Amino acid sequence: RLAVARTFEWHIEMIRSLTIVGILSQAHRGQAFDQCPSVMDNTCLPSSMPILKTVSGTDPAGCCEACVNMGACVCWTFNRQQQSSCYLRGSFDGKTKVGRECTSGVIPGRVPPSPPLPPPPPPPSPPVPAPPGAKNVLMIVVDDLRPQLGAYNISIGGGQKMLTPNIDKLAARGLTFRNCYNQYAVCSPSRNSFMSGRRPDTTLTYNFKDSFRTTPIDGNSWIALPQYFKVHGYNTTGCGKTYHGGKPPNFDQPYSWTEGVEYVGYDQGLGFCSDHCACVIPDNNTDHRTDEGLAQRAIDLITSHKKNKIGPWFVAVGFIRPHVDWSAPQWAWDLYNESELDLAAHKVVSPSAPKVAWVDGGYVDKKSGDVGPGYHFKANVSVSDSVARQWRHGYYAAVSYVDSNIGKVLDALEELGMAENTVVSLIADHGYQLGEHEMWEKYTNWELATRVPFILAVPWKPTSHGVVSTALVENVDLYPTLAAAAGLPPPASDCPSCIQGTDATPLLDTPFRTWKKASFSQYARCSLDNSTGYYTRCSGENRDEIQVMGYSVRTPTYRYTEWFVMDDTSGKANMNLTVARELYDHVNDPGNDFDWAGEEINLADDVAHSNEVAEGAKIVREGWSAAKPPLY
């Protein structure tokens, strides 16, 4: 750990000491470079660093100046191959890569200190043997995946279903949760929640800066999901996007993973399609097939466990697609006829929805090759049908591509003779909107951003195989559910910082029993634009910059959302100061209509629905602990 910290400090010192000689001539530097001496030519910054803003049609000096003028900007990259795009980022981890197409820079004085490394764990006790009969666990996490899958019987254009034969095969030997909802519809906060087993108001992670290890006072003492298996005698290994990169630091090593086994991270692939959102991965391109490499890494881990008679084991693999950029091989594109793909029926935001509910995503609409330079999404104006079809085509191809890689891992599990002794779960970090409400991202409390696929395959529970449960479950339930399915004792849940999910394994035996009365999601808003009435989505801002927090509850019959002013002193939502309310009718929602008309009419001010509003407001204020299933 000391070596890692020193290496990071060396990177920072190296960059701070760079001179401009041989990089950019004084004539091209301009006045802005007086404030940007740390300029690196032929150098790109990793795409995994979150982008605060994209500026088009500028030059390196202008990119530098834009970063200087944005207080939250720490570093910048000017990419000549991407329509002269400038990417402003809010963090810098000292890592760079050679790229002749890029010029990058770091703003002096803004490079944050090296994030504190987690304190070392206490001296190891003698290994605790796993409980007798404990089963192996394969945990699969997929990025940005909405449950528009074959197993969910949800059709797309012309009655065609998204082609996911491998996920469908997993569903045939497992229980499919039709109504699973995440707790925060963006990558890092969601993963910090379900990987720690705590909800966002406990992890205090609403952005790409904080994590459950570094923000809560006692976060370093928490037992995370993989760590729970580790302390119960499991060999725990992982790869890809399980945790969000850097949040917590170093993919939560040494806490979550067995020492001595490298955790293989990921390349998000942002910018691979240049100034387009979607593109074909050429056959001869091996640099942007991250998911294929992650599938192989998972197979190698499982194969090694088999060969070396290691067990029980816990293997986690986090796939990248269908996160943008929507890149996939040609064969995946050829599965769909773009001209036959239906578009969103409700393309713009309903006038009855409060402005705080909608936000400009800030990445997809910067793809100037698709929408032209300087374009911004507007709540009441949709993109052209041709662009919408191309984007949907790219997303569907990316889903089929990731399905093929998931299939490789599942096939290997069977070929190694380990499937019958292994719990397999598949879940997404959040859902995704593909033009509904003129959203081409997550970032909302609406149904399509919060609803995710969740499949649990337990071979020794045959009554659950191929069954679809309509019970309300949540991503935060994954932790206790996997523990119970594998045969471990239940994690502690009776203290303020204990896990906050519910073991869903009773649904394996009785899938249609009475269960939770509501699931819970939330999303923050920052920086109100008084000229438009819209807010920003709070990804790069600090927690103390949050102005509004929206809490959303989904019951079997409706979705109720209430937005509250954040209290500057306590850092919590003031539930006596309501900004806006939303109520959407799901009484007759069959669950397979991704353009459900009920989410187009906000009924919160309709006196005929005052009882539902009162009930929703009560559920929000009582919180998740009052909505547990009867047996809890």
Side-chain angles (χ1 to χ4, degrees):
R1 288 185 295 272
L2 181 60
V4 171
R6 286 176 175 169
T7 300
F8 181 88
E9 292 168 0
W10 179 84
H11 276 293
I12 299 299
E13 190 60 32
M14 176 192 72
I15 292 168
R16 286 174 173 163
S17 64
L18 283 173
T19 62
I20 300 303
V21 178
I23 297 177
L24 290 172
S25 69
Q26 182 70 37
H28 288 88
R29 223 175 295 151
Q31 184 177 0
F33 281 143
D34 293 339
Q35 302 178 70
C36 277
S38 301
V39 178
M40 300 165 283
D41 204 16
N42 298 327
T43 302
C44 298
L45 301 181
S47 59
S48 57
M49 294 184 201
I51 296 173
L52 298 177
K53 185 177 181 180
T54 302
V55 181
S56 300
T58 184
D59 57 18
C63 189
C64 167
E65 184 176 12
C67 189
V68 169
N69 293 333
M70 176 181 280
C73 182
V74 170
C75 56
W76 53 273
T77 297
F78 175 78
N79 192 310
R80 300 172 186 82
Q81 291 184 356
Q82 297 179 12
Q83 295 290 307
S84 297
S85 291
C86 165
Y87 301 103
L88 309 183
R89 292 179 163 90
S91 63
F92 179 68
D93 60 7
K95 297 178 181 178
T96 61
K97 58 183 180 180
V98 176
R100 299 182 63 183
E101 72 276 16
C102 296
T103 298
S104 301
V106 181
I107 308 301
R110 293 188 190 171
V111 178
S114 178
L117 293 172
S125 303
V128 177
K135 305 296 186 180
N136 302 322
V137 175
L138 172 62
M139 185 182 82
I140 301 170
V141 182
V142 188
D143 208 348
D144 281 19
L145 182 64
R146 67 194 216 161
Q148 192 176 337
L149 312 172
Y152 281 73
N153 195 33
I154 297 171
S155 297
I156 56 176
Q160 185 183 25
K161 293 182 174 63
M162 192 175 292
L163 299 176
T164 54
N166 296 290
I167 296 176
D168 300 348
K169 181 180 176 182
L170 177 64
R173 63 183 188 89
L175 179 63
T176 298
F177 295 96
R178 194 172 187 83
N179 295 311
C180 181
Y181 294 89
N182 72 81
Q183 279 49 76
Y184 203 103
V186 72
C187 307
S188 185
S190 175
R191 292 166 187 268
N192 269 269
S193 173
F194 70 77
M195 290 294 283
S196 73
R198 281 84 172 173
R199 295 172 188 267
D201 280 348
T202 301
T203 67
L204 300 178
T205 302
Y206 314 112
N207 54 28
F208 287 94
K209 293 185 174 185
D210 300 319
S211 80
F212 74 88
R213 289 291 188 209
T214 59
T215 306
I217 294 175
D218 58 347
N220 276 329
S221 67
W222 295 357
I223 304 295
L225 193 165
Q227 187 182 5
Y228 190 74
F229 286 85
K230 180 181 174 182
V231 300
H232 282 87
Y234 276 65
N235 179 288
T236 59
T237 54
C239 60
K241 195 174 181 181
T242 54
Y243 293 106
H244 190 85
K247 307 293 183 241
N250 204 25
F251 292 101
D252 203 41
Q253 298 178 95
Y255 291 95
S256 283
W257 312 108
T258 295
E259 290 83 353
V261 181
E262 179 188 5
Y263 186 99
V264 175
Y266 63 93
D267 179 355
Q268 188 74 70
L270 292 173
F272 171 63
C273 295
S274 187
D275 58 351
H276 296 278
C277 264
C279 61
V280 174
I281 301 176
D283 291 340
N284 62 354
N285 184 294
T286 58
D287 293 335
H288 293 89
R289 295 176 179 262
T290 301
D291 282 344
E292 293 181 35
L294 294 174
Q296 188 57 55
R297 175 62 175 175
I299 293 169
D300 290 345
L301 290 170
I302 297 170
T303 302
S304 175
H305 295 340
K306 172 79 171 182
K307 177 180 178 181
N308 295 293
K309 299 180 180 180
I310 293 174
W313 50 258
F314 175 99
V315 171
V317 53
F319 290 102
I320 307 305
R321 295 292 164 261
H323 193 289
V324 289
D325 295 2
W326 298 313
S327 55
Q330 185 66 55
W331 65 260
W333 286 79
D334 292 342
L335 295 174
Y336 305 94
N337 185 336
E338 186 170 305
S339 64
E340 295 179 357
L341 299 182
D342 282 347
L343 303 178
H346 306 99
K347 299 178 183 178
V348 297
V349 179
S350 167
S352 63
K355 286 189 172 183
V356 71
W358 185 88
V359 68
D360 179 356
Y363 179 78
V364 174
D365 58 352
K366 301 302 185 296
K367 294 293 190 174
S368 57
D370 295 332
V371 292
Y375 185 86
H376 290 282
F377 287 130
K378 295 180 176 62
N380 59 350
V381 179
S382 63
V383 298
S384 70
D385 287 355
S386 61
V387 169
R389 281 198 174 88
Q390 180 189 14
W391 286 354
R392 284 199 164 202
H393 192 178
Y395 181 90
Y396 298 153
V399 169
S400 291
Y401 179 40
V402 77
D403 176 81
S404 72
N405 289 303
I406 291 169
K408 294 174 186 176
V409 181
L410 297 177
D411 288 347
L413 191 68
E414 291 196 25
E415 291 166 4
L416 290 166
M418 305 180 83
E420 293 305 309
N421 197 40
T422 302
V423 176
V424 180
S425 69
L426 182 146
I427 200 167
D429 53 354
H430 45 70
Y432 207 84
Q433 291 144 147
L434 288 174
E436 299 88 0
H437 315 293
E438 190 48 11
M439 286 292 301
W440 292 90
E441 278 285 2
K442 39 270 188 179
Y443 310 142
T444 75
N445 277 324
W446 286 323
E447 182 81 359
L448 297 187
T450 58
R451 186 178 170 200
V452 303
F454 178 23
I455 299 170
L456 181 67
V458 182
W460 47 96
K461 292 287 186 179
T463 57
S464 68
H465 297 176
V467 176
V468 178
S469 172
T470 57
L472 291 167
V473 296
E474 303 172 274
N475 283 42
V476 76
D477 298 337
L478 181 66
Y479 184 155
T481 300
L482 287 181
L488 298 186
S493 59
D494 56 354
C495 68
S497 60
C498 288
I499 71 158
Q500 297 169 329
T502 300
D503 169 19
T505 57
L507 294 166
L508 292 169
D509 297 316
T510 51
F512 305 105
R513 66 189 298 164
T514 301
W515 205 241
K516 294 183 180 183
K517 68 178 180 181
S519 64
F520 292 75
S521 305
Q522 62 187 99
Y523 211 102
R525 293 287 185 256
C526 296
S527 304
L528 172 64
D529 185 338
N530 289 312
S531 65
T532 64
Y534 293 106
Y535 293 80
T536 59
R537 58 184 173 91
C538 297
S539 290
E541 291 89 341
N542 296 320
R543 280 183 296 121
D544 59 9
E545 297 179 72
I546 295 174
Q547 297 181 7
V548 180
M549 182 68 77
Y551 292 88
S552 188
V553 294
R554 177 66 155 86
T555 76
T557 57
Y558 63 81
R559 173 175 294 282
Y560 176 80
T561 305
E562 192 164 351
W563 299 85
F564 302 100
V565 173
M566 286 291 281
D567 186 275
D568 293 337
T569 303
S570 67
K572 298 179 180 179
N574 185 337
M575 293 193 174
N576 293 316
L577 294 177
T578 299
V579 174
R581 299 176 301 172
E582 301 171 79
L583 177 71
Y584 301 109
D585 180 12
H586 285 272
V587 171
N588 297 310
D589 182 359
N592 60 1
D593 183 354
F594 266 45
D595 260 323
W596 176 243
E599 286 238 341
E600 294 302 313
I601 304 174
N602 179 15
L603 301 170
D605 294 328
D606 187 337
V607 294
H609 295 275
S610 58
N611 288 340
E612 290 93 334
V613 170
E615 182 183 49
K618 182 172 184 277
I619 295 173
V620 165
R621 286 162 174 79
E622 289 180 343
W624 63 272
S625 60
K628 292 180 180 180
L631 83 108
Y632 286 83

